[in-house]
Amino acid sequence: MGSSQRSTLSTTNVAEFVDGSPGRGELWAVDSLPVYVRELIAGGAAGAFAKTAVAPLERIKILLQTRTEGFHSLGVYQSLKKLFKNEGIRGFYRGNGASVLRIVPYAALHFMTYEEYRCWILNNYPSLGSGPSIDLLAGSAAGGTAVLCTYPLDLARTKLAYQVTGKRTSFGNGISIHTQTAYNGLKDVFMKVYKEGGVRGLYRGVGPTLVGILPYAGLKFYVYEELKRRVPEEHQKSVILRLSCGAVAGLFGQTFTYPLDVVRRQMQVQSMQSSTQGGGYSSTMEGLISITRNQGYRQLFAGLSINYMKIVPSVAIGFTAYDAMKTWLKVPPRQKSTSTG
């Protein structure tokens, strides 16, 4: 759809971002790849770097969201300290392998399909113009596409991050036992979940995920592009500016859609919880009502402060890595390729 349109920009704009390196005029193997393939590679690498950098905060956020015993009443620092005591450094990255496996195709699809959807809308519905409303529509569609393609990996990541291993559990009579995990890796999660619920089990909680990602992804791109439009042209290439706009956009979108993320997490771990912990939601609305009634309104925002803490470095690292990969792969700047029409 928009690949040929973006390809015409590569020869004129890429040279500005190579910093005069000696190899600028040499032919790379990647030069033969279509622009959209290079966007997929750049987006996937950026997502992996960003996700790994904030993995410890992501793990704590999930433990707070799902009211994991021993963590729901602790703060961020105490939770990190307890996790390190029980599981060591590896505990900070439990489930990160599944998270990275999910985020690589997710981020790749999210960035690439956003540009493709935007070009498609501009080419087929010119009456809509080229303002931020196009970014809202394209961002929402891209978010939904990426979620549907990668959701089982997100489910596995949550289940792995939810289970907490302890060195031993003591009872009043002095008997101690070692705790055991329900899943022993990504493959084990897929096998057990599929055996219990089939394909529907692998997509448990996808409803609130889609309800949340459509406005979140749309708002994120909408706010990001709108903020950039209000900045003088001579400053629009600034990395600091780009990161600042992305951070504000992420914080804005996350605040409005965060309760849906809490419902999604609780639905994903229902099979691992006892009946006294709640659960059993059959829909997003039922989950919102039940959590508010039984756990309190504040539970809908459990872990939000951690999300704020992780989204700024995540966006910063993600955008920086994405720009670096686009330079290395000789991909024209995204905002230039999507501003046509």
Side-chain angles (χ1 to χ4, degrees):
M1 287 179 284
S3 297
S4 60
Q5 184 179 19
R6 289 193 300 274
S7 296
T8 60
L9 295 169
S10 59
T11 57
T12 59
N13 291 325
V14 169
E16 302 175 10
F17 291 82
V18 185
D19 299 327
S21 59
R24 178 172 59 184
E26 298 177 1
L27 290 177
W28 291 11
V30 296
D31 288 346
S32 61
L33 296 175
V35 174
Y36 75 88
V37 174
R38 284 178 269 170
E39 288 172 342
L40 285 170
I41 297 172
F49 284 131
K51 183 61 69 174
T52 301
V54 299
L57 290 175
E58 180 70 17
R59 176 85 196 277
I60 295 300
K61 186 193 76 169
I62 291 176
L63 294 176
L64 292 177
Q65 283 182 327
T66 53
R67 296 174 64 83
T68 304
E69 184 178 356
F71 285 88
H72 64 277
S73 61
L74 298 179
V76 177
Y77 175 74
Q78 291 298 326
S79 295
L80 289 170
K81 186 176 179 181
K82 181 173 182 176
L83 196 60
F84 177 74
K85 181 179 179 181
N86 288 346
E87 302 182 23
I89 292 293
R90 294 183 63 181
F92 292 150
Y93 295 92
R94 179 179 292 276
N96 188 58
S99 185
V100 169
L101 285 176
R102 180 194 72 90
I103 204 63
V104 167
Y106 177 86
L109 285 169
H110 201 174
F111 278 111
M112 188 275 290
T113 56
Y114 161 74
E115 301 203 27
E116 294 295 334
Y117 283 136
R118 191 177 193 280
C119 288
W120 183 81
I121 294 172
L122 290 173
N123 291 335
N124 291 276
Y125 299 94
S127 60
L128 294 176
S130 59
S133 59
I134 303 301
D135 299 307
L136 182 66
L137 293 173
S140 297
T145 300
V147 163
L148 287 174
C149 292
T150 61
Y151 186 80
L153 287 168
D154 182 54
L155 177 76
R157 184 274 303 263
T158 300
K159 287 182 176 292
L160 289 172
Y162 172 73
Q163 59 186 14
V164 179
T165 60
K167 294 182 178 179
R168 58 180 62 249
T169 302
S170 299
F171 294 91
N173 56 7
I175 300 176
S176 298
I177 62 171
H178 290 275
T179 58
Q180 296 183 350
T181 58
Y183 302 105
N184 297 311
L186 187 61
K187 181 179 179 180
D188 191 41
V189 174
F190 285 141
M191 292 180 61
K192 290 182 177 178
V193 171
Y194 182 79
K195 184 177 180 180
E196 293 172 2
V199 175
R200 291 186 63 181
L202 293 173
Y203 279 86
R204 184 169 187 80
V206 73
T209 302
L210 286 174
V211 172
I213 198 62
L214 294 179
Y216 172 68
L219 283 171
K220 183 173 66 175
F221 280 107
Y222 174 92
V223 175
Y224 179 63
E225 296 296 337
E226 181 63 15
L227 287 174
K228 287 199 304 178
R229 287 186 181 96
R230 297 180 179 275
V231 175
E233 185 175 354
E234 62 268 22
H235 298 300
Q236 289 190 0
K237 291 183 180 180
S238 168
V239 174
I240 299 299
L241 174 71
R242 206 172 301 157
L243 299 178
S244 300
C245 292
V248 172
L251 291 172
F252 183 86
Q254 189 70 202
T255 301
F256 283 89
T257 61
Y258 191 78
L260 297 169
D261 190 47
V262 174
V263 175
R264 169 172 67 111
R265 296 299 186 193
Q266 293 205 9
M267 291 181 72
Q268 287 177 334
V269 301
Q270 279 176 189
S271 62
M272 301 171 68
Q273 293 178 325
S274 63
S275 58
T276 59
Q277 291 179 278
Y281 316 133
S282 59
S283 67
T284 303
M285 185 57 64
E286 181 184 347
L288 289 170
I289 295 173
S290 179
I291 290 174
T292 302
R293 181 183 300 159
N294 300 325
Q295 303 174 24
Y297 178 81
R298 295 181 62 181
Q299 180 61 28
L300 291 175
F301 295 91
L304 181 57
S305 60
I306 301 177
N307 225 42
Y308 285 153
M309 291 172 60
K310 81 180 183 65
I311 203 162
V312 172
S314 178
V315 170
I317 295 169
F319 272 99
T320 302
Y322 185 61
D323 287 337
M325 288 297 297
K326 286 200 300 180
T327 299
W328 185 67
L329 295 170
K330 299 183 179 180
V331 180
R334 178 163 58 89
Q335 64 268 28
K336 291 197 173 206
S337 65
T338 58
S339 62
T340 57

